[in-house]
Amino acid sequence: RMSKCLTKLTAELLSHRFKSLLILTISFVFLLMIYWRRGVHGECQFYSLPTQSACGQILPTASGNPPQPGDMFFVETSERMDPSYLFTCSVESAARTHPGTRVVVLMKGLASGNASLPNHWGFSLLSNLSNVEFRSLDLQELFSGTPLAKWYLQPEHKKEPYFLPVLSDACRITIMWKFGGIYLDTDFIVLRNLRNLTNSLGMQSQDVLNGAFLSFRPKHAFVERCMQDFVENYNGWIWAHQGPGLLTRVFKRWCSISNIQTHMNCRGVRALSPEAFYPIRWEDWKKLFHTISSMELHKLLRNTYAVHVWNKLSHGTRLEITSQALLAQLYSQFCPATYAKMKED
């Protein structure tokens, strides 16, 4: 009898133990699913799109496709909502040379949600290009989850003399980190497809890199170091310290070099020669308005992917659009809709 009681008691205990383990296992799986969902949604915040919450819907399109490594980004960090001829030419030329690529224009002054675009010829012109999309830029959401989040919330930075350029520098490296793809300043005219230039940036001179063009895969370690350096060595009172200066010093540390020309390709990151994106040096920006023959132009740009126009220096110069000036020829060839509007005006 004692033996039967012990056997029955043992069976009961094992049964309860099995039930307890089953309950604990189910609870653990449930908690793990909650944690995973929070993690996914927490890392994917970007634009102010209150009706969208899933990571793949952050940049919604008619097809609902998520951002891809080859997407192109333009950014307007000011409140301006009157695109210039050069702005529209930049976006148009990028869209035409990348017909299968989504070209996303992020504008701080654009209302979030489903608000219609402002009544401006530039928006009408670019909206006719099927692969161009306009999106509201929410800076606080953009920087969330990165080393730049705390920096952006410090109000004293807004008093610095170069705050808008610095803000643009911050946006581009954050976009590259979160989504990857291709970033271009709005004073480029794109001549050819850029999608084979992954994990690369351009040299503006023999030993200085420039971030007006960036192409990286998401979460790249080089871009992560750029974000860290942005905060650790921050100085918003020195022109270009957070832009070309930052990229140059990080690349040199990345490659353990003192001169970029000695190692332009190391550890999976390429520094492209000046002719790739900066065939006209900033010191020679007036050449953009000089007459040039078609043959000379072809020779100058034979190894060029896109021409940087140095808008900060050149924007006040009058361009005779029907002339043979270098810039006029680029408008006519690579952004024909913008060129037609300029002639009309």
Side-chain angles (χ1 to χ4, degrees), residues 166-190:
V166 167
L167 186 59
S168 178
D169 293 329
C171 285
R172 67 192 69 184
I173 58 175
T174 306
I175 289 169
M176 289 295 96
W177 164 250
K178 284 196 168 183
F179 292 103
I182 300 168
Y183 166 85
L184 288 170
D185 274 1
T186 54
D187 57 351
F188 264 115
I189 298 180
V190 185

Side-chain angles (χ1 to χ4, degrees), residues 99-341:
T101 298
R102 181 165 48 188
V103 179
V104 183
V105 184
L106 306 172
M107 306 190 76
K108 186 173 180 288
L110 190 63
S112 61
N114 297 318
S116 59
L117 292 171
N119 184 21
H120 185 277
W121 66 265
F123 292 110
S124 300
L125 185 152
L126 294 174
S127 294
N128 287 327
L129 300 169
S130 61
N131 56 333
V132 174
E133 297 183 12
F134 290 93
R135 289 286 175 264
S136 171
L137 175 63
D138 186 319
L139 292 166
Q140 189 167 337
E141 287 192 31
L142 170 60
F143 297 130
S144 67
T146 75
L148 282 74
K150 187 176 180 180
W151 164 81
Y152 178 66
L153 294 176
Q154 295 173 356
E156 63 269 21
H157 294 314
K158 295 179 174 62
K159 301 174 185 177
E160 295 166 354
Y162 308 121
F163 177 69
L164 277 181
V166 167
L167 186 59
S168 178
D169 293 329
C171 285
R172 67 192 69 184
I173 58 175
T174 306
I175 289 169
M176 289 295 96
W177 164 250
K178 284 196 168 183
F179 292 103
I182 300 168
Y183 166 85
L184 288 170
D185 274 1
T186 54
D187 57 351
F188 264 115
I189 298 180
V190 185
L191 314 185
R192 61 182 71 176
N193 196 285
L194 311 174
R195 295 195 64 169
N196 65 329
L197 302 178
T198 308
N199 299 335
S200 60
L201 64 170
M203 297 172 64
Q204 73 172 43
S205 61
Q206 298 308 315
D207 199 45
V208 178
L209 295 172
N210 193 308
F213 157 79
L214 294 171
S215 177
F216 282 91
R217 295 195 182 281
K219 305 297 189 295
H220 197 284
F222 176 83
V223 182
E224 182 177 14
R225 291 197 183 185
C226 289
M227 291 193 298
Q228 291 168 350
D229 187 282
F230 187 98
V231 176
E232 292 171 3
N233 298 304
Y234 184 78
N235 190 330
W237 293 84
I238 300 177
W239 172 254
H241 181 80
Q242 300 300 118
L246 178 147
L247 294 167
T248 301
R249 60 181 177 265
V250 171
F251 187 83
K252 287 181 176 180
R253 289 199 301 268
W254 178 263
C255 298
S256 299
I257 56 176
S258 58
N259 189 302
I260 296 176
Q261 284 188 303
T262 61
H263 288 83
M264 294 174 59
N265 189 344
C266 71
R267 299 178 60 194
V269 179
R270 286 187 293 170
L272 303 171
S273 62
E275 60 185 347
F277 290 94
Y278 310 99
I280 305 295
R281 301 185 308 162
W282 71 265
E283 300 96 330
D284 301 326
W285 65 268
K286 290 183 179 179
K287 289 184 178 180
L288 292 163
F289 300 88
H290 292 173
T291 298
I292 186 172
S293 70
S294 297
M295 185 178 296
E296 289 175 310
L297 184 62
H298 176 75
K299 184 178 179 181
L300 174 68
L301 304 180
R302 65 183 181 274
N303 295 316
T304 300
Y305 287 90
V307 177
H308 193 241
V309 179
W310 305 107
N311 185 56
K312 184 174 178 61
L313 299 169
S314 65
H315 72 277
T317 305
R318 177 176 172 78
L319 173 66
E320 183 60 49
I321 190 61
T322 57
S323 69
Q324 287 300 301
L326 190 158
L327 188 54
Q329 292 190 56
L330 294 182
Y331 273 111
S332 66
Q333 292 180 44
F334 298 100
C335 51
T338 301
Y339 181 72
K341 175 63 178 173

